[in-house]
Amino acid sequence: MSEKLIVLSMDAMVSEDIAYLKTKPNFSRLFKKQTGYTFTEYLTSCRIDLACRLLKETELKVSDIAAESGFSDRTKFYKVFSEKMGMTPKHYRKSKT
């Protein structure tokens, strides 16, 4: 899954470089100016997009999809997913099948 690799690559970049990037105020400002999103908002959006695809295309458990999408905390995944999508991951899966 190339989407998973992209998110994992982004996670690797974040874990290695985020401390450095956050010391560069221009990065955050320029990223938001170019995308309309903060870096964290963009990363979260990528993770939710991947989770949606996995919910539609696989039979993985929701907890596994949370981990595959880059969320280390299942509770946070449910909260963020519900806020962004207006329904729980389980309801989303049922509505797309």
Side-chain angles (χ1 to χ4, degrees):
M1 282 187 199
S2 61
E3 294 89 359
K4 179 182 174 186
L5 292 175
I6 291 168
V7 172
L8 292 176
S9 295
M10 291 173 72
D11 284 345
M13 192 263 316
V14 169
S15 65
E16 293 174 12
D17 297 330
I18 198 67
Y20 172 77
L21 292 174
K22 285 195 171 193
T23 65
K24 304 296 181 193
N26 288 338
F27 170 77
S28 295
R29 186 174 47 80
L30 290 174
F31 190 91
K32 183 160 185 162
K33 184 177 181 180
Q34 291 297 313
T35 65
Y37 301 100
T38 66
F39 183 75
T40 302
E41 290 169 338
Y42 179 79
L43 183 59
T44 299
S45 177
C46 291
R47 289 175 171 167
I48 294 298
D49 288 347
L50 176 58
C52 288
R53 283 193 288 281
L54 292 173
L55 287 164
K56 288 188 287 189
E57 299 171 4
T58 73
E59 296 297 321
L60 290 171
K61 295 188 296 184
V62 174
S63 59
D64 292 336
I65 289 173
E68 292 285 328
S69 300
F71 289 88
S72 58
D73 181 335
R74 186 178 63 183
T75 303
K76 182 170 182 170
F77 170 69
Y78 272 86
K79 181 178 187 250
V80 171
F81 189 96
S82 297
E83 287 173 357
K84 300 288 184 192
M85 302 307 296
M87 63 182 80
T88 66
K90 288 182 182 181
H91 285 124
Y92 180 85
R93 174 177 269 165
K94 287 181 183 177
S95 75
K96 298 299 178 183
T97 57

